[in-house]
Amino acid sequence: MEGYQLLLLLFLHLLILFKPNHSARAKQRLGLEWKTFTCLGNPRIVESHNCYILDSDKSLITAEVKYLEDFDRFNATFRLSMPRPPFNEYHKLIDVTFDVCQFFKGSHRHKFIAITYKSMAKHSNMPMKCPQLKGFYFFRNISIGENLPAFLPETDFKIEFNFFTPTSTVFNTTLTGRLSEGVRKG
Ligand SMILES: *[C@@H]1O[C@H](CO)[C@@H](O)[C@H](O)[C@H]1NC(C)=O
Ligand SMILES: *[C@@H]1O[C@H](CO)[C@@H](O)[C@H](O)[C@H]1NC(C)=O
Ligand SMILES: *[C@@H]1O[C@H](CO)[C@@H](O)[C@H](O)[C@H]1NC(C)=O
């Protein structure tokens, strides 16, 4: 499937998702299994971090990070890539840079990021506003699969979520996983 078709489906599905009958459709959803999750922190700003896939449930991930600085401006780049035949090299389907502080205020919300964010915020102690104060923050049991549209194809994919300020890179995360029927739940 071509990227634009996938985006179109994603968009159409999001429209459907917010109608009351979506629970019937949710049953057809593919399962998501994470394969790798790596984080890289700028050592000047990130004192420690811990990113892992849960052993007991490979659809869940946890990220913990300790910042040594406050941020009053904070941007992020979100990329979603999928392998393209015949050589299965990853190509980008979504590649957006956005202002995290503006995002907290509710503006410029890209739909896919809003989905990801919803899953991230569920078990998190990070206040959703700027400035972001230095300290220890966690995002536990992030379940992106729970909120993914049902019409995505079976595929491997990669997500890169990188955070930076106007002057430095702060924190990079890379996730690879697979959407398939084989790991469908329930
Ligand atoms: C994050 O990734 C970018 C490239 O996308 C790189 O320039 C930067 O150095 C990385 N930052 C860290 C903290 O690894
Ligand atoms: C995260 O999920 C695991 C496994 O399902 C569970 O044991 C744990 O209590 C959950 N933690 C939080 C913070 O929800
Ligand atoms: C952060 O995002 C805002 C809004 O997209 C943009 O105007 C600004 O140039 C970005 N800053 C950096 C350092 O990329």
Side-chain angles (χ1 to χ4, degrees):
M1 197 173 341
E2 289 297 320
Y4 75 92
Q5 291 174 312
L6 190 60
L7 279 177
L8 187 63
L9 283 178
L10 195 66
F11 180 66
L12 287 175
H13 188 74
L14 283 166
L15 293 179
I16 292 161
L17 207 60
F18 296 111
K19 293 202 171 152
N21 71 345
H22 93 267
S23 59
R25 293 174 179 278
K27 292 205 180 75
Q28 306 160 11
R29 202 171 290 163
L30 298 171
L32 187 159
E33 186 175 53
W34 295 114
K35 308 275 192 207
T36 63
F37 183 23
T38 53
C39 293
L40 277 172
N42 178 338
R44 276 194 303 110
I45 301 175
V46 175
E47 183 182 286
S48 61
H49 60 77
N50 188 17
C51 297
Y52 59 90
I53 301 165
L54 265 75
D55 275 334
S56 56
D57 184 345
K58 303 264 185 235
S59 73
L60 301 178
I61 54 171
T62 283
E64 298 171 339
V65 58
K66 189 171 177 192
Y67 292 125
L68 299 168
E69 267 182 29
D70 300 346
F71 306 111
D72 53 3
R73 292 175 63 194
F74 206 24
N75 280 17
T77 297
F78 181 93
R79 294 194 195 101
L80 173 71
S81 315
M82 286 184 189
R84 179 165 47 189
F87 302 114
N88 288 333
E89 77 282 15
Y90 277 98
H91 73 116
K92 287 175 216 159
L93 231 53
I94 299 177
D95 186 355
V96 275
T97 296
F98 62 99
D99 183 323
V100 176
C101 296
Q102 290 302 318
F103 183 84
F104 287 155
K105 289 182 188 161
S107 54
H108 310 302
R109 290 209 159 176
H110 187 287
K111 289 226 162 56
F112 196 83
I113 295 165
I115 290 174
T116 308
Y117 175 71
K118 200 173 143 199
S119 330
M120 287 175 68
K122 222 164 163 185
H123 304 284
S124 175
N125 67 338
M126 182 175 265
M128 300 309 167
K129 58 176 189 194
C130 290
Q132 288 270 302
L133 302 180
K134 64 183 166 196
F136 172 78
Y137 296 106
F138 60 78
F139 299 89
R140 297 200 175 119
N141 291 8
I142 304 172
S143 171
I144 295 173
E146 204 171 83
N147 296 306
L148 278 180
F151 296 149
L152 286 173
E154 283 197 85
T155 182
D156 289 319
F157 65 101
K158 178 165 81 171
I159 289 176
E160 292 158 281
F161 212 174
N162 296 345
F163 300 88
F164 58 95
T165 69
T167 51
S168 18
T169 77
V170 176
F171 196 59
N172 288 355
T173 67
T174 306
L175 277 158
T176 61
R178 178 160 180 80
L179 268 175
S180 69
E181 274 196 50
V183 290
R184 190 203 306 236
K185 289 216 199 116

